[in-house]
Amino acid sequence: LLDHALSLDVGGTKLAAAVVDRSGRVIRRGEVATPRTADSREVLSALVALAAEIATAAALDDIELVGIGSAGPLDPVLGTVSPVNIPAWRDFPLVDGVVELLAPSRRPVLAGDGLCFALGEQRFGAGMGSVALLGMVVSTGIGGGLVLDGRLYGGPSGNAGHIGHIVIEAGGTPCPCGNHGCLERYASGPSMVAFAVSDGWKPAYGAAADGRALGASAAAGDLIALRALARGGEAIGQAIALTATLVDVRQVVIGGGMAATGNLLFGPIADSLARHAVLGYTHGIEVRASTLDRDAGLLGAAALVFDSVAAAESAGNVSPVGVPAQQSTREGS
Ligand SMILES: [Zn+2]
């Protein structure tokens, strides 16, 4: 019965939805641009309309299981989200909103998008079966998530894995998070572009100065563009080495727009990692590009909700998923 889940992926640029089965097959998917609005209900309505359309198209009449991956910060217990790039949502009750408008018969499961990416790749993608994996999404920002001992690790707050904000240069470039020298300030798409521009790089005629154009210039042999990617790769390699030293990850899967630059970025990452991962147990880490691309987060959110059902069943807990026992009564009220 419970072999299909509705997955939602909430980002500042796009909202995505899919119906996914237990084997990781995407039955139907779709996406829309995230509305630019100050009206929180308008963003929710766009997400729910997309979800309903995808569910109908996949002939999923009875929406029972819903997994939600969202840009953070978020609170998975309260079900609230405050995505940095969705200003209309601050401590927004996303889970309650989805319950109200889509009426799933179980409470949806919510996790950070970086965590969902990591879990999707660990179950169905380039990190399949890994017991200790770091997932990274390198695009406008840098997100991440950890699978440790074969299980997704969100920590007590649900926000563990924010690798974009670990410091790789003490006293380095200021970061909007309040710290200095965060990975994101060196290796996100905009950071690499800004570095190249300050070094004299110009995109090909007519192109915007963005990550895609930077990758194209580098692929064409532009030395400044190559240097910017090398600098970003150096920073990413450092961050991976730090993570491996601390929690012994063995596999790293990298997705996001900048991963599309391929070896122009992965080469410098490997060189940096070889230099910075010095302790014996950190040698030989496998760094791969995502194979699931834009579906990784959707598949991870689906895996999360299937797992939560399995956990509830094995614990003999019949209360709706994610709802503490004392709250579950309101489902029937
Ligand atoms: Zn930061």
Side-chain angles (χ1 to χ4, degrees):
L1 180 66
L2 302 177
D3 50 3
H4 291 79
L6 177 65
S7 273
L8 307 178
D9 185 8
V10 175
T13 308
K14 66 172 175 63
L15 307 170
V19 171
V20 176
D21 73 11
R22 278 180 185 273
S23 67
R25 196 161 64 95
V26 175
I27 310 298
R28 195 65 80 117
R29 90 186 291 293
E31 60 186 60
V32 294
T34 306
R36 301 260 159 239
T37 172
D39 181 353
S40 63
R41 296 292 294 190
E42 197 179 325
V43 184
L44 178 65
S45 299
L47 178 67
V48 165
L50 172 68
E53 181 192 321
I54 295 303
T56 302
L60 187 70
D61 318 315
D62 185 17
I63 298 175
E64 179 142 18
L65 305 181
V66 181
I68 309 172
S70 175
L74 52 79
D75 186 325
V77 176
L78 294 177
T80 57
V81 300
S82 310
V84 176
N85 296 320
I86 307 180
W89 282 2
R90 287 295 170 267
D91 295 322
F92 182 75
L94 175 58
V95 169
D96 286 347
V98 168
V99 167
E100 179 194 333
L101 298 179
L102 280 177
S105 43
R106 291 175 185 244
R107 192 165 172 83
V109 179
L110 170 70
D113 52 0
L115 289 171
C116 289
F117 172 86
L119 186 61
E121 292 289 347
Q122 192 261 353
R123 288 295 167 78
F124 307 114
M128 204 186 290
S130 173
V131 296
L133 173 136
L134 167 66
M136 296 178 74
V137 180
V138 182
S139 57
T140 311
I142 297 183
L146 291 164
V147 174
L148 300 176
D149 294 335
R151 297 167 61 95
L152 193 62
Y153 183 77
S157 79
N159 289 281
H162 267 84
I163 194 166
H165 296 281
I166 65 171
V167 172
I168 54 138
E169 184 183 18
T173 309
C175 181
C177 78
N179 216 331
H180 289 74
C182 293
L183 171 65
E184 198 167 283
R185 298 274 66 78
Y186 300 81
S188 68
S191 296
M192 288 194 271
V193 167
F195 179 75
V197 167
S198 73
D199 212 12
W201 171 72
K202 289 187 180 61
Y205 182 75
D210 59 12
R212 186 186 302 254
L214 186 69
S217 285
D222 182 294
L223 292 178
I224 302 175
L226 285 167
R227 196 153 59 225
L229 289 177
R231 182 175 179 263
E234 163 71 22
I236 292 170
Q238 267 181 271
I240 293 171
L242 287 168
T243 306
T245 304
L246 195 61
V247 295
D248 199 14
V249 290
R250 300 308 301 159
Q251 276 82 29
V252 179
V253 178
I254 303 178
M258 296 312 296
T261 55
N263 210 39
L264 301 173
L265 184 64
F266 282 77
I269 290 172
D271 292 346
S272 171
L273 186 55
R275 273 182 290 106
H276 292 289
V278 292
L279 301 182
Y281 68 90
T282 65
H283 295 169
I285 294 166
E286 296 165 13
V287 181
R288 296 179 185 149
S290 163
T291 51
L292 302 175
D293 196 30
R294 292 149 80 84
D295 288 340
L298 290 165
L299 289 168
L304 206 59
V305 70
F306 287 133
D307 284 1
S308 73
V309 170
E313 282 169 359
S314 73
N317 175 1
V318 294
S319 75
V321 171
V323 183
Q326 70 273 16
Q327 284 181 25
S328 63
T329 49
R330 77 179 188 161
E331 292 286 318
S333 64

